[in-house]
Amino acid sequence: MASKRISPKRISIGEGFAKAILFGEHSVVYGYPAIVCGLGVGAIASVQDAETSAFFFTGVNANFQTQLESPSSLAEGFRSLFEVLGITSSVEIHVDLSIPTGAGLGSSAAIGAACCRALIKHFNLSEDLIESGVEAFEVVFHASPSGVDQAAALYGGFFQFSKSSGYQKIEVPVLDLVVANVGSREPTKHILERFASQKKSDETRFKVTMEEMGSLPSQAQIALTNKDLVEVGKLMTHNHSLLNEVGVSSPELDIACQIAIKAGALGAKLTGAGRGGCIISLVQDPSSNAVEKALLKAGYWTRSYHILENSGQ
Ligand code: MEV
């Protein structure tokens, strides 16, 4: 008797990159440039046909699932993404994350990019939909994003970004960065709203701080080109104190930066929206592991990144 053959389900895979903003978070929303360092693949999504649409997440601090009809923001993100892509069929998507979620490393944009890429492959859709798909997903979490997280999630690498010029790869020397997560934070949307209300309450002070923050990326770019890491570190620490002034740091983030600097980091700052989440520190001598050890000892999720020199081509 012939045995019944079960045909394997077709699975389509997509990836999205993680990022750390080295200079210019928040000021980038107001038109200034930001300097961003890609941290490799942050999310891998696999899509397969299913009876009902459901989404499963696993990774560093993730073990959860949601359905398309659920009231969660995540489900809302998928509904917007499906609408832009014109998807009406049901799928199951499994997402594997190599970065913590909601910690300033661009997890939502990385998830959006990974899922959008996998869905485009699965349904054989036009690649031209990629940017609008990721934007539709991201808007749910960020209200009015500058676009920096989407650019990082889609293209990765080390780059400068501004609302007017978009993504531009830049020249960097070898960099050793240590990232540490101090823990939970408010949703990015709320932090951006808080930031905007700060602007309303004291327009003059806000403008001065924004201009100072906005000038750091060009100073940093000169220091990076000159391979002057001491200067890059100083500028990072200065960027952190300006972010602190506008209310987006937290005591936990300040403490983590101090721990990194005390252990020998050339500079440290919060990265991403702030009010919790990650700090990023620049290390001169990675062989000692002193900064990584100090941050691990303090109990943070910590990871070292060795960024290879690139010519910006
Ligand atoms: C979040 O990673 C970066 C922010 O500047 C928001 C944005 O640019 O959309 C805080």
Side-chain angles (χ1 to χ4, degrees), residues 3-306:
S3 63
K4 195 176 165 199
R5 286 191 59 184
I6 300 169
S7 52
K9 281 202 168 172
R10 193 169 65 86
I11 296 180
S12 311
I13 311 275
E15 61 184 21
F17 300 106
K19 63 92 176 78
I21 297 183
L22 225 50
F23 295 97
E25 50 275 273
H26 289 289
S27 42
V28 69
V29 176
Y30 295 87
Y32 296 98
I35 292 185
V36 183
C37 176
L39 300 179
V41 174
I44 298 179
S46 28
V47 172
Q48 61 186 65
D49 297 329
E51 302 274 297
T52 50
S53 286
F55 315 101
F56 302 85
F57 296 83
T58 46
V60 179
N61 65 344
N63 188 7
F64 53 89
Q65 64 181 74
T66 190
Q67 267 78 37
L68 191 63
E69 305 311 330
S70 128
S72 69
S73 326
L74 199 52
E76 195 186 331
F78 280 108
R79 287 193 291 274
S80 308
L81 175 58
F82 278 31
E83 197 180 323
V84 168
L85 299 184
I87 294 173
T88 49
S89 322
S90 297
V91 287
E92 217 170 74
I93 307 185
H94 291 257
V95 181
D96 188 32
L97 290 150
S98 58
I99 45 166
T101 53
L105 301 183
S107 61
S108 61
I111 293 169
C115 293
C116 192
R117 281 200 168 112
L119 287 164
I120 284 176
K121 267 189 218 157
H122 200 74
F123 293 105
N124 208 8
L125 304 171
S126 161
E127 288 286 332
D128 293 349
L129 289 166
I130 188 84
E131 289 194 358
S132 48
V134 180
E135 191 182 345
F137 186 82
E138 191 60 355
V139 154
V140 172
F141 305 94
H142 279 210
S144 53
S146 64
V148 68
D149 287 14
Q150 287 111 281
L154 282 172
Y155 310 115
F158 205 102
F159 65 96
Q160 177 161 311
F161 177 92
S162 73
K163 277 175 154 181
S164 56
S165 310
Y167 177 103
Q168 287 174 309
K169 252 192 187 297
I170 56 174
E171 201 175 310
V172 280
V174 167
L175 290 180
D176 285 285
L177 303 170
V178 182
V179 175
N181 184 12
V182 307
S184 66
R185 45 154 243 204
E186 291 167 44
T188 303
K189 205 171 177 170
H190 296 178
I191 304 167
L192 291 174
E193 281 158 9
R194 177 201 289 263
F195 201 79
S197 72
Q198 187 118 7
K199 177 173 180 255
K200 271 197 200 126
S201 72
D202 189 344
E203 289 267 1
T204 317
R205 187 171 150 248
F206 185 88
K207 194 161 178 268
V208 171
T209 314
M210 276 305 103
E211 268 169 18
E212 195 169 347
M213 255 195 234
S215 73
L216 295 179
S218 56
Q219 295 177 53
Q221 176 125 34
I222 296 169
L224 286 165
T225 308
N226 294 339
K227 302 191 178 186
D228 184 352
L229 298 188
V230 172
E231 180 64 10
V232 176
K234 272 191 202 153
L235 293 168
M236 284 170 69
T237 305
H238 184 47
N239 198 163
H240 181 80
S241 56
L242 292 172
L243 288 162
N244 201 355
E245 255 179 50
V246 290
V248 293
S249 186
S250 68
E252 294 79 12
L253 286 166
D254 295 346
I255 289 169
C257 288
Q258 282 154 19
I259 291 173
I261 288 170
K262 202 165 158 224
L266 297 172
K269 65 181 278 291
L270 69 85
T271 188
R275 301 291 305 164
C278 286
I279 65 142
I280 182 160
S281 51
L282 178 64
V283 171
Q284 184 136 49
D285 174 18
S287 61
S288 80
N289 291 336
V291 174
E292 188 179 355
K293 276 188 205 149
L295 291 165
L296 278 170
K297 195 169 163 216
Y300 308 126
W301 173 90
T302 301
R303 187 159 291 176
S304 293
Y305 292 89
H306 182 66

